[in-house]
PDB file of all heavy atoms in Angstrom:
ATOM      1  N   VAL A 693      16.181 -26.520  -5.850  1.00 98.00           N
ATOM      2  CA  VAL A 693      17.414 -27.194  -5.272  1.00 98.00           C
ATOM      3  C   VAL A 693      17.633 -28.543  -5.936  1.00 98.00           C
ATOM      4  O   VAL A 693      16.696 -29.130  -6.419  1.00 98.00           O
ATOM      5  CB  VAL A 693      17.242 -27.304  -3.729  1.00 98.00           C
ATOM      6  CG1 VAL A 693      17.226 -25.954  -3.032  1.00 98.00           C
ATOM      7  CG2 VAL A 693      15.984 -28.092  -3.356  1.00 98.00           C
ATOM      8  N   ASN A 694      18.854 -29.027  -5.869  1.00 97.00           N
ATOM      9  CA  ASN A 694      19.141 -30.363  -6.510  1.00 97.00           C
ATOM     10  C   ASN A 694      19.262 -31.424  -5.367  1.00 97.00           C
ATOM     11  O   ASN A 694      19.460 -32.584  -5.658  1.00 97.00           O
ATOM     12  CB  ASN A 694      20.395 -30.335  -7.310  1.00 97.00           C
ATOM     13  CG  ASN A 694      21.553 -29.787  -6.592  1.00 97.00           C
ATOM     14  OD1 ASN A 694      21.598 -29.759  -5.360  1.00 97.00           O
ATOM     15  ND2 ASN A 694      22.614 -29.342  -7.307  1.00 97.00           N
ATOM     16  N   LYS A 695      19.106 -31.024  -4.126  1.00 97.00           N
ATOM     17  CA  LYS A 695      19.051 -31.979  -2.986  1.00 97.00           C
ATOM     18  C   LYS A 695      18.340 -31.262  -1.878  1.00 97.00           C
ATOM     19  O   LYS A 695      18.172 -30.043  -1.903  1.00 97.00           O
ATOM     20  CB  LYS A 695      20.432 -32.416  -2.593  1.00 97.00           C
ATOM     21  CG  LYS A 695      21.308 -31.265  -2.049  1.00 97.00           C
ATOM     22  CD  LYS A 695      22.693 -31.830  -1.637  1.00 97.00           C
ATOM     23  CE  LYS A 695      23.547 -30.711  -1.084  1.00 97.00           C
ATOM     24  NZ  LYS A 695      24.880 -31.229  -0.641  1.00 97.00           N
ATOM     25  N   ARG A 696      17.904 -32.034  -0.878  1.00 97.00           N
ATOM     26  CA  ARG A 696      17.185 -31.412   0.221  1.00 97.00           C
ATOM     27  C   ARG A 696      18.093 -30.403   0.919  1.00 97.00           C
ATOM     28  O   ARG A 696      19.213 -30.726   1.267  1.00 97.00           O
ATOM     29  CB  ARG A 696      16.754 -32.541   1.220  1.00 97.00           C
ATOM     30  CG  ARG A 696      15.853 -31.952   2.312  1.00 97.00           C
ATOM     31  CD  ARG A 696      15.199 -33.053   3.167  1.00 97.00           C
ATOM     32  NE  ARG A 696      14.438 -32.517   4.279  1.00 97.00           N
ATOM     33  CZ  ARG A 696      13.158 -31.979   4.190  1.00 97.00           C
ATOM     34  NH1 ARG A 696      12.580 -32.051   3.040  1.00 97.00           N
ATOM     35  NH2 ARG A 696      12.586 -31.512   5.215  1.00 97.00           N
ATOM     36  N   ARG A 697      17.541 -29.178   1.144  1.00 97.00           N
ATOM     37  CA  ARG A 697      18.302 -28.161   1.733  1.00 97.00           C
ATOM     38  C   ARG A 697      17.515 -27.335   2.801  1.00 97.00           C
ATOM     39  O   ARG A 697      16.261 -27.294   2.652  1.00 97.00           O
ATOM     40  CB  ARG A 697      18.730 -27.128   0.619  1.00 97.00           C
ATOM     41  CG  ARG A 697      19.687 -27.635  -0.447  1.00 97.00           C
ATOM     42  CD  ARG A 697      21.133 -27.595   0.036  1.00 97.00           C
ATOM     43  NE  ARG A 697      21.563 -26.321   0.447  1.00 97.00           N
ATOM     44  CZ  ARG A 697      21.987 -25.327  -0.357  1.00 97.00           C
ATOM     45  NH1 ARG A 697      22.002 -25.528  -1.685  1.00 97.00           N
ATOM     46  NH2 ARG A 697      22.396 -24.135   0.128  1.00 97.00           N
ATOM     47  N   ASP A 698      18.180 -26.806   3.743  1.00 97.00           N
ATOM     48  CA  ASP A 698      17.576 -25.871   4.704  1.00 97.00           C
ATOM     49  C   ASP A 698      18.216 -24.502   4.404  1.00 97.00           C
ATOM     50  O   ASP A 698      19.415 -24.299   4.775  1.00 97.00           O
ATOM     51  CB  ASP A 698      17.880 -26.346   6.125  1.00 97.00           C
ATOM     52  CG  ASP A 698      17.452 -25.336   7.185  1.00 97.00           C
ATOM     53  OD1 ASP A 698      16.954 -24.249   6.796  1.00 97.00           O
ATOM     54  OD2 ASP A 698      17.583 -25.619   8.373  1.00 97.00           O
ATOM     55  N   ILE A 699      17.485 -23.666   3.741  1.00 98.00           N
ATOM     56  CA  ILE A 699      17.992 -22.319   3.416  1.00 98.00           C
ATOM     57  C   ILE A 699      17.574 -21.413   4.524  1.00 98.00           C
ATOM     58  O   ILE A 699      16.472 -20.859   4.534  1.00 98.00           O
ATOM     59  CB  ILE A 699      17.403 -21.842   2.041  1.00 98.00           C
ATOM     60  CG1 ILE A 699      17.505 -22.919   0.988  1.00 98.00           C
ATOM     61  CG2 ILE A 699      18.126 -20.570   1.548  1.00 98.00           C
ATOM     62  CD1 ILE A 699      18.871 -23.480   0.739  1.00 98.00           C
ATOM     63  N   GLY A 700      18.516 -21.232   5.494  1.00 95.00           N
ATOM     64  CA  GLY A 700      18.162 -20.574   6.708  1.00 95.00           C
ATOM     65  C   GLY A 700      18.030 -19.100   6.700  1.00 95.00           C
ATOM     66  O   GLY A 700      17.408 -18.488   7.539  1.00 95.00           O
ATOM     67  N   ARG A 701      18.693 -18.393   5.701  1.00 97.00           N
ATOM     68  CA  ARG A 701      18.608 -16.981   5.697  1.00 97.00           C
ATOM     69  C   ARG A 701      18.448 -16.464   4.223  1.00 97.00           C
ATOM     70  O   ARG A 701      18.864 -17.063   3.283  1.00 97.00           O
ATOM     71  CB  ARG A 701      19.902 -16.360   6.285  1.00 97.00           C
ATOM     72  CG  ARG A 701      20.076 -16.706   7.761  1.00 97.00           C
ATOM     73  CD  ARG A 701      21.104 -15.857   8.391  1.00 97.00           C
ATOM     74  NE  ARG A 701      21.470 -16.367   9.690  1.00 97.00           N
ATOM     75  CZ  ARG A 701      22.258 -15.755  10.574  1.00 97.00           C
ATOM     76  NH1 ARG A 701      22.817 -14.606  10.223  1.00 97.00           N
ATOM     77  NH2 ARG A 701      22.533 -16.252  11.771  1.00 97.00           N
ATOM     78  N   GLY A 702      17.788 -15.284   4.141  1.00 98.00           N
ATOM     79  CA  GLY A 702      17.676 -14.623   2.867  1.00 98.00           C
ATOM     80  C   GLY A 702      17.279 -13.180   3.080  1.00 98.00           C
ATOM     81  O   GLY A 702      16.632 -12.873   4.084  1.00 98.00           O
ATOM     82  N   LEU A 703      17.644 -12.316   2.149  1.00 98.00           N
ATOM     83  CA  LEU A 703      17.385 -10.854   2.270  1.00 98.00           C
ATOM     84  C   LEU A 703      16.766 -10.372   0.960  1.00 98.00           C
ATOM     85  O   LEU A 703      17.079 -10.972  -0.119  1.00 98.00           O
ATOM     86  CB  LEU A 703      18.619 -10.100   2.603  1.00 98.00           C
ATOM     87  CG  LEU A 703      19.016 -10.039   4.060  1.00 98.00           C
ATOM     88  CD1 LEU A 703      20.301  -9.252   4.213  1.00 98.00           C
ATOM     89  CD2 LEU A 703      17.955  -9.337   4.930  1.00 98.00           C
ATOM     90  N   ALA A 704      15.991  -9.384   1.035  1.00 98.00           N
ATOM     91  CA  ALA A 704      15.450  -8.637  -0.125  1.00 98.00           C
ATOM     92  C   ALA A 704      15.370  -7.199   0.149  1.00 98.00           C
ATOM     93  O   ALA A 704      14.821  -6.790   1.245  1.00 98.00           O
ATOM     94  CB  ALA A 704      14.092  -9.251  -0.509  1.00 98.00           C
TER      95      ALA A 704
END
Side-chain angles (χ1 to χ4, degrees):
V693 293
N694 55 19
K695 62 179 181 179
R696 185 171 177 81
R697 294 276 307 274
D698 175 356
I699 314 303
R701 298 193 190 188
L703 279 176

